[in-house]
């Protein structure tokens, strides 16, 4: 078993629930305010760690109360925080989330996450077969430095280009596996895409990013489309009743990284990650909703009469 290293954001998610999202300029009555540990880096690290794979998070926290709560939570989930720095003079990352009818809108305030540097990502001691994961909630130069170190020793690099922003070719050339949703795919490729488009339409767009790398497009309840050597591989979706989709993509990324770190073939790793994400959306919160290995194994087990249903 190899190691998963995640360089990324650590946030406190402040979630306001309501019957519907407000229109621009409108105020609606909310139902509750909830606080959940989150941030794409933390979410992905928790997803990997809870599946039993050694996982180290690289990032920064502020000296505020949120920082203390987040550190305690991550330690309790089994995430190694030896590469997480506490930074004075700034607040911890914070996400303001509106949740209505299982759909969300999110505003992220980076705080300490915006100070992650190339020096911060010099700490992990990669070996061949490790998996290095990052996303776009920390500065791009830090991601590039992180991936260069990983690539130098033969570790696999996974980039989740979210939230969507432009990245130069030099950074993308350091990526072995791209994982994104249809919105992020459309942004990176300059293509207008809708969630109702055909798999062929997504494959066509993904091919413009696929030179020398694997491209995975998460399609929610429709499953996952992966482009491997320019050939599409479709993993069917799983029908579940979604409660909160906030951490689903991060759950998928972390679970995928964990399975690749233990040597699973890509197709099996994608199916496993898809099952993990289907469990995640049935719970409230981001990082706290990540499933255990046993829960995913139960979800993947064939149903037999009298044995109940998948979670």
């Amino acid at each position: 078993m190899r190691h998963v290293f995640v360089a990324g954001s650590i946030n406190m998610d402040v979630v306001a629930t309501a019957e519907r999202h407000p229109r621009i300029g409108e105020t609606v009555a909310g139902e509750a305010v909830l606080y959940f540990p989150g941030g794409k880096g933390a979410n992905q690290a928790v997803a990997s760690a809870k599946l039993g794979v050694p996982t180290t998070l690289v990032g920064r926290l502020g000296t505020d109360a949120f920082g203390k709560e987040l550190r305690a939570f991550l330690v309790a989930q089994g995430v190694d925080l030896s590469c997480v720095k506490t930074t004075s003079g700034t607040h911890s990352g914070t996400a303001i989330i509106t949740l209505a009818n299982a759909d969300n809108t999110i505003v992220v305030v980076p705080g300490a996450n915006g100070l992650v540097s190339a020096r911060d990502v010099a700490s992990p001691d990669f070996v061949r077969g490790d998996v290095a994961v990052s996303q776009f909630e920390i500065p791009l130069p830090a991601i590039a430095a992180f991936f260069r170190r990983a690539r130098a020793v033969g570790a696999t690099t996974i980039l989740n280009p979210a939230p969507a922003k432009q990245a130069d070719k030099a950074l993308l050339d350091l990526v072995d596996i791209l994982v994104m949703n249809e919105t992020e795919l459309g942004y990176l490729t300059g293509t207008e895409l809708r969630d109702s488009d055909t798999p062929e339409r997504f494959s066509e767009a993904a091919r413009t990013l696929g030179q020398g790398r694997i491209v995975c497009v998460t399609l929610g309840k429709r499953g996952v489309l992966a482009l491997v050597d320019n050939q599409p591989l479709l993993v069917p979706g799983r029908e579940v009743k979604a409660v909160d989709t906030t951490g689903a993509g991060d759950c998928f990324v972390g679970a995928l990284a964990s399975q690749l770190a233990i040597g699973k073939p890509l197709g099996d790793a994608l199916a496993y990650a898809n099952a993990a994400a289907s469990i995640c959306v049935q719970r409230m919160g981001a990082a706290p909703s990540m499933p255990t290995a046993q829960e995913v194994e139960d979800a993947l087990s064939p149903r037999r009469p009298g044995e109940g249903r998948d979670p």
Side-chain angles (χ1 to χ4, degrees):
M1 180 185 296
R2 294 304 187 187
H3 205 104
V4 172
F5 293 91
V6 182
S9 58
I10 311 169
N11 294 335
M12 181 62 78
D13 292 348
V14 183
V15 182
T17 63
E19 288 188 2
R20 64 177 178 85
H21 294 285
R23 301 181 182 90
I24 294 175
E26 181 187 23
T27 300
V28 300
E31 297 168 344
V33 176
L34 307 168
Y35 298 86
F36 296 109
K40 297 188 73 63
N43 294 342
Q44 292 167 7
V46 170
S48 174
K50 288 188 70 172
L51 295 172
V53 175
T55 304
T56 295
L57 180 58
V58 184
R60 291 196 181 212
L61 287 167
T63 54
D64 53 358
F66 281 167
K68 295 177 182 177
E69 290 181 42
L70 289 164
R71 186 175 287 275
F73 171 81
L74 290 166
V75 168
Q77 307 309 304
V79 178
D80 172 19
L81 299 186
S82 59
C83 296
V84 172
K85 296 181 179 179
T86 297
T87 306
S88 60
T90 188
H91 62 85
S92 299
T94 307
I96 310 300
I97 301 172
T98 303
L99 177 64
N101 297 320
D103 289 322
N104 58 62
T105 60
I106 306 175
V107 176
V108 177
V109 186
N113 297 314
L115 301 176
V116 176
S117 67
R119 181 177 297 180
D120 294 331
V121 301
S123 300
D125 187 15
F126 295 109
V127 299
R128 178 176 293 276
D130 284 344
V131 180
V133 181
S134 197
Q135 347 68 33
F136 280 174
E137 287 187 342
I138 60 173
L140 301 192
I143 299 172
F146 181 63
F147 282 168
R148 277 195 295 270
R149 292 193 65 247
R151 273 285 193 85
V153 297
T156 298
T157 57
I158 299 178
L159 177 64
N160 174 214
K165 65 176 71 173
Q166 288 299 328
D168 60 28
K169 184 176 182 297
L171 174 57
L172 295 180
D173 284 345
L174 296 169
V175 177
D176 295 313
I177 304 174
L178 273 171
V179 183
M180 69 202 90
N181 62 25
E182 71 274 5
T183 301
E184 292 142 8
L185 175 63
Y187 187 89
L188 286 183
T189 61
T191 306
E192 187 174 340
L193 297 171
R194 296 167 296 182
D195 58 8
S196 59
D197 285 341
T198 65
E200 290 76 18
R201 173 79 167 145
F202 292 119
S203 294
E204 180 182 346
R207 283 193 176 93
T208 66
L209 298 172
Q211 301 98 342
R213 69 180 64 88
I214 296 166
V215 181
C216 299
V217 186
T218 57
L219 302 173
K221 63 183 180 181
R222 297 175 65 189
V224 182
L225 174 69
L227 202 65
V228 185
D229 295 328
N230 273 334
Q231 298 301 311
L233 170 65
L234 184 61
V235 179
R238 303 174 66 86
E239 286 292 334
V240 298
K241 184 177 181 180
V243 173
D244 181 5
T245 62
T246 305
D250 296 331
C251 180
F252 180 90
V253 172
L256 176 64
S258 75
Q259 298 309 291
L260 295 177
I262 64 175
K264 287 278 189 72
L266 179 65
D268 292 345
L270 290 170
Y272 189 98
N274 196 44
S278 76
I279 299 170
C280 171
V281 300
Q282 298 177 70
R283 302 168 176 171
M284 286 290 295
S289 69
M290 303 304 167
T292 64
Q294 186 59 59
E295 288 173 321
V296 180
E297 293 296 337
D298 289 345
L300 289 170
S301 297
R303 296 180 186 174
R304 296 188 179 92
E307 289 189 342
R309 301 186 298 174
D310 290 346

